Amino acid sequence: MVAFAVTGAPLTVMLLAQALIWVIPGCNPNPYALGVCAVGPYNMASPLMVAGIGGGYIALLSVLVSGPLLLLAWFLSRRSKKGAAANGLAQ
């Protein structure tokens, strides 16, 4: 559950930022120049770019970290269940 939350939270932020980019009329954030993403008097281009790129980057890194940890937990759980079953049969 924790591994899913660590991956799911930044992924949700990234998808929400991308959805806002699509919903805001005329929104064109650009990482190489000043983009325009006006919501009232505020330009939301920079925060949306940071949320989109940062959320994706953190989600990718969390998968690279949590994936091997989940695999290790599954292996140790399987080994522990196999050991418990062997001890139960021996008695």
Side-chain angles (χ1 to χ4, degrees), residues 2 6 8 10 12 15-16 21 23 26 44 50 53 55 62 65 67-68 70 83 86 88 90:
V2 172
V6 168
T12 302
L15 292 175
L16 183 62
I21 289 171
V23 169
M44 298 296 292
V50 168
I53 294 172
S62 69
V65 170
L70 285 171

Side-chain angles (χ1 to χ4, degrees), residues 40-91:
Y42 303 107
N43 184 8
M44 298 296 292
S46 296
L48 289 176
M49 286 301 298
V50 168
I53 294 172
Y57 186 70
I58 291 171
L60 177 66
L61 287 178
S62 69
V63 166
L64 293 176
V65 170
S66 66
L69 290 176
L70 285 171
L71 186 63
L72 179 65
W74 172 77
F75 175 74
L76 291 175
S77 172
R78 187 170 172 235
R79 195 173 96 183
S80 139
K81 287 179 185 176
K82 192 182 280 186
N87 288 339
L89 292 176
Q91 293 176 354

